[in-house]
Amino acid sequence: MFRTPLRSLSTTARTTLKIGLIPADGIGREVIPAAKAAIQALGSDIPKTEFIDLLAGWDTFTRTGVALPQETNDILRDECDCALFGSVSSPSKKVVGYSSPIVALRKNMDLYANIRPVLSVAPEPGQKAAVDLVVVRENTECLYVKQEQQTIGKKGREARATRLITEHASRKIGQRAFEIALGRPRKHLTIIHKSNVLSVTDGLFRETVREVPSLPEINGKYDKVTVMEQLVDSALYRLFREPEVFDVMVAPNLYGDILSDAAAALVGSLGLVPSINAGDNFVIGEPVHGSAPDIAGKGIANPIASIRSAALMLRYLGYVTGADRLDTAVDQVVREGTTLTPDLHGKSTTQEVLDAILKRL
């Protein structure tokens, strides 16, 4: 089974790998400890690990008035090599003083790329997966700049939101997407946009990404990568009808979020899909699923997305052997199908799935 290659953040040998743990809210408190246990089981395939427990989230906000404590920011920046983030229970209505901590972390640490592989488990080892694609989502702009206002007009309340797309951020995410596409067998990239309607903002994103191969410093590096474009609405339609047409998809923040969540349905559950928030100097692994308050505390949350996110994080740091071991163990458990959580129509608990994965490690 092909795994998306990711370049190491640093070639410097580490004697200790310091990992920040931010379970945050809901099932994050159940799946991040599972990911920690899986990492600890890797033994000599990674350096000695040191875990640092950190606070963030809605619960932290309700207790302290701050969703992302400065201490968490400082420790991540000054002491950690990487981190794992669980899930956050952001309210659906505006709460004065509250802002999503993961959105803030992405901006504070310039984690401009959200990389979300969506990969099904083939019936037999070595067989081609039915779904094998990567959504590369710009992680710092679009509507997620959270500049909204509400006014009173002649016909009642009016709400407006500012959407920010910059050439700088579009070029960075475009280069990252081309780099990922170059490392995959098909070497194919699809630019997702809606520039037939949003000709200025999506137009800038589309044009900037298209220009990446012709940048002087690229010097023909991406000549083998084929490029196509797809409007976001038709991309979603094709994703469900013929997912095999996609290899790497690069999209502005909001489209990337929606497409990757939808793609999770193709492999059976959000509980299977990992991601990393990646920058040039830091990486945070994060399962794609949310805080799932309906099952929080019941011990039935699927830990696989978090364990796969840990594998992605390790791969990004250059620990490919350890990452492959985690993914292979997860593949074996999913393929056997006897130890699965309810989201995959099983009856197993979080701990039972973790134990099954640890046994195969």
Side-chain angles (χ1 to χ4, degrees):
M1 181 174 290
F2 180 77
R3 300 290 176 189
T4 296
L6 297 168
R7 292 184 301 171
S8 173
L9 278 178
S10 172
T11 56
T12 304
R14 300 178 179 88
T15 56
T16 301
L17 185 61
K18 295 185 178 181
I19 304 174
L21 296 180
I22 314 170
D25 302 315
I27 63 171
R29 298 171 185 171
E30 301 166 57
V31 297
I32 292 302
K36 174 184 176 181
I39 292 172
Q40 289 174 315
L42 292 175
S44 60
D45 282 332
I46 59 174
K48 177 183 177 182
T49 51
E50 179 181 326
F51 296 92
I52 303 175
D53 295 319
L54 300 169
L55 294 175
W58 172 250
D59 184 61
T60 298
F61 176 80
T62 60
R63 290 185 289 106
T64 68
V66 179
L68 180 63
Q70 187 61 44
E71 181 183 23
T72 296
N73 257 316
D74 293 343
I75 290 175
L76 286 176
R77 190 178 300 276
D78 299 336
E79 300 182 31
C80 295
D81 298 300
C82 56
L84 288 172
F85 187 94
S87 55
V88 63
S89 298
S90 293
S92 57
K93 295 182 179 180
K94 180 177 177 60
V95 175
V96 176
Y98 178 80
S99 183
S100 169
I102 188 61
V103 172
L105 280 172
R106 291 166 180 165
K107 294 177 181 178
N108 293 350
M109 305 193 73
D110 195 23
L111 305 176
Y112 59 88
N114 191 246
I115 302 169
R116 297 183 166 189
V118 183
L119 181 66
S120 58
V121 176
E124 297 293 337
Q127 289 184 344
K128 184 179 179 181
V131 178
D132 183 1
L133 59 90
V134 182
V135 177
V136 183
R137 167 191 174 194
E138 200 290 314
N139 217 19
T140 63
E141 295 187 339
C142 195
L143 290 170
Y144 289 72
V145 296
K146 294 182 70 66
Q147 295 177 11
E148 296 182 283
Q149 61 178 343
Q150 188 176 113
T151 58
I152 302 296
K154 293 181 180 180
K155 296 183 179 180
R157 290 183 295 171
E158 298 177 353
R160 291 177 173 82
T162 296
R163 184 176 194 249
L164 177 66
I165 301 290
T166 68
E167 185 179 31
H168 173 74
S170 300
R171 182 178 295 118
K172 288 177 72 174
I173 199 64
Q175 286 186 246
R176 181 57 60 93
F178 270 99
E179 192 72 24
I180 291 172
L182 184 65
R184 289 171 60 85
R186 288 178 58 194
K187 303 185 188 326
H188 183 67
L189 178 66
T190 306
I191 304 170
I192 305 297
H193 60 84
K194 189 67 176 174
S195 59
N196 60 327
V197 176
L198 299 169
S199 59
V200 177
T201 50
D202 273 12
L204 178 60
F205 181 84
R206 170 190 171 273
E207 293 164 11
T208 305
V209 175
R210 269 211 167 272
E211 291 168 357
V212 165
S214 61
L215 294 172
E217 62 269 27
I218 300 302
N219 195 28
K221 182 180 180 181
Y222 302 133
D223 288 350
K224 293 183 179 179
V225 177
T226 59
V227 180
M228 77 172 193
E229 301 177 20
Q230 191 84 52
L231 298 178
V232 63
D233 46 350
S234 59
L236 195 60
Y237 175 81
R238 294 192 76 186
L239 190 63
F240 285 109
R241 294 278 296 186
E242 43 183 345
E244 68 278 1
V245 303
F246 296 111
D247 183 22
V248 178
M249 308 168 77
V250 61
N253 206 334
L254 180 62
Y255 302 159
D257 194 5
I258 294 170
L259 283 167
S260 54
D261 278 17
L266 299 173
V267 296
S269 171
L270 278 168
L272 294 175
V273 180
S275 80
I276 51 171
N277 302 281
D280 294 329
N281 301 299
F282 202 77
V283 59
I284 297 179
E286 178 194 6
V288 170
H289 64 67
S291 61
D294 56 323
I295 62 168
K298 295 182 179 180
I300 57 173
N302 192 339
I304 287 177
S306 286
I307 293 171
R308 286 211 192 274
S309 295
L312 264 184
M313 179 188 74
L314 292 174
R315 184 169 284 111
Y316 197 77
L317 292 168
Y319 304 113
V320 176
T321 300
D324 285 346
R325 284 184 61 201
L326 286 179
D327 281 325
T328 299
V330 169
D331 288 347
Q332 290 173 349
V333 170
V334 173
R335 187 177 292 115
E336 289 167 10
T338 56
T339 312
L340 301 174
T341 44
D343 60 308
L344 294 173
H345 309 292
K347 297 181 179 180
S348 301
T349 65
T350 306
Q351 187 62 49
E352 287 169 342
V353 173
L354 172 61
D355 289 343
I357 293 170
L358 294 179
K359 181 179 178 180
R360 286 153 183 81
L361 285 171

